[in-house]
Amino acid sequence: MSINSSIKKLITYGLETGLITKRDSVYTINMLISCLGLDSYTDDGLNYENVCLESVLEEITNYAVDKGICEDSGARRELFDTKIMSLLMPRPSEVTDKFFSIYNESPEKATEYFYKLSGDSNYIRRYRIAKDKKWKTKTPYGDIDITINLSKPEKDPRDIAAAKNAVQAGYPKCLLCRENEGYAGRIDSPARQNHRIIPLTIDGGEWFMQYSPYVYYNEHCIVFNSCHTPMKIDKGAFRKLLDFVKLFPHYFIGSNADLPIVGGSILSHEHFQGGNYEFPMAKSPIEKSIVFESFPDVEAGIVKWPMSTIRLRSENTDSIVELSDRILTSWRKYTDEDAFIYAETDGEPHNTITPIARYRDGKYEMDLVLRNNITTPEHPLGVYHPHAELHNIKKENIGLIEVMGLAVLPLRLDKELFLLKQALLKGEDISSDEILSKHKSWVDTFIDSYDCINDDNVDKILEDEVGKVFSKVLEHAGVYKRDKKGKEAFLRFISQI
């Protein structure tokens, strides 16, 4: 395949997706040949359709590697193919203008346009997302979602070595900063030349919306402060969440907590996550109603969910904000030694909230998930964190996405579950296996529950058992347990709000 044919295929892709118009074709070809060190272009006379972006980018990048334009490593290839895609991209102002032109017709159509653009541009690498493994598992709390993330590429050892020796630039300050838009990237920072963000006004401040490049669920968006300012759960956060839902009522939005262990991976930059998806927690009903006499226009109750959640519903967002703030203020300073809830130890605060907002059936909702990050010698990673016996499946922090009932499990599990499947089918002892021994205690808890494990049922068995472990993970992360003692302790807290 000649480079001219590859260029024509990429132009065809741009026309098919609407990234460029026919009027842009010659200009884009000239930009591409300049990037590839060519002086001219010759049309191959062939017609292409339904162009596979992954394949054509690989062809062009291979050419660049062969000609010494691009180094042959995973990160360098991604930096280069992103540069190629940037030549087909509209300017940020054009994207913003088109977004709000569509928004004036329909917020839902506006987000559909922006989400499609984020995939067509290869900012969201759809071919990688398609590799993620996903399933649902029935639990006492309804069906929960499980995914093994396969879309983040393994790091190339050459890139790791280069990054170690690279000068730390400090620009952009983090992966969420607005300065990422259009940034060419470095060996230790991803290219974002094909990345676009939408400006929003939320609670009177300047914010931006983008999509996550890893898309854990449909239209997985990130909404971030224009300033590099730390995460903070306060009254303002509740206002911001509900302001966003007013702008995009078809989206939910939530925030990670603002403390380590129970917070997200980026605490240094205020941001929220949302999208067009109904999580398992949102489907869970109120199991016990609560009355807050000072807020007669707010329906409230405890959600039937493994993590301790209070749901507020009202047409009046101001009332929801005020009551949410009262609950947060009470929780921040609340201690109940009998329930092992400590507001602070040695001056270190432990209590915070993971909030989630949505609009449903004509009313606004706010789910307030109570969190506590206390540690002990027995549980050094957190008392309200998956305990050691579950670490073979999930050891990482329980952030917003997991709180709502979607397990994002580590890449290693894909290989481990495959090997475990083979061992179960062969009846092998895994107790001394270097990779599988960590799963021995877990397997012992369910192996006798099945009369026969064979090719027809082994995959479903392992999926269900992994899902059951994640259900326990959420129970461990819940500050009030689901037994009689835990429910009574939960009501004690509510009674003093």
Side-chain angles (χ1 to χ4, degrees), residues 23 34 44 52 79 88 143 184 191 214-215 273 286 291 304 333 356 368 375 384 392 425 455 465-466 483:
R23 174 68 181 85
S34 175
D44 65 5
C52 173
L79 292 172
L88 281 70
D143 290 351
Y214 304 113
V215 193
Q273 296 183 75
I286 296 290
V291 175
K304 184 183 178 183
K333 62 186 180 183
I356 303 105
L368 303 171
T375 61
Y384 305 108
N392 63 308
L425 291 174
D455 283 320
E465 294 300 330
V466 167
D483 56 16

Side-chain angles (χ1 to χ4, degrees), residues 123-175:
Y123 165 70
I124 296 172
R125 296 181 181 246
R126 292 175 177 139
Y127 59 92
R128 286 186 181 161
I129 304 301
K131 297 176 183 177
D132 289 347
K133 293 191 174 180
K134 299 180 180 182
W135 67 89
K136 293 181 182 291
T137 297
K138 293 185 181 299
T139 75
Y141 314 106
D143 290 351
I144 58 174
D145 298 325
I146 310 293
T147 180
I148 298 178
N149 185 278
L150 305 178
S151 56
K152 289 186 179 180
E154 295 287 332
K155 287 191 178 292
D156 188 314
R158 291 167 294 185
D159 295 328
I160 295 172
K164 182 179 180 181
N165 297 322
V167 176
Q168 297 301 307
Y171 178 91
K173 290 181 180 178
C174 77
L175 291 175

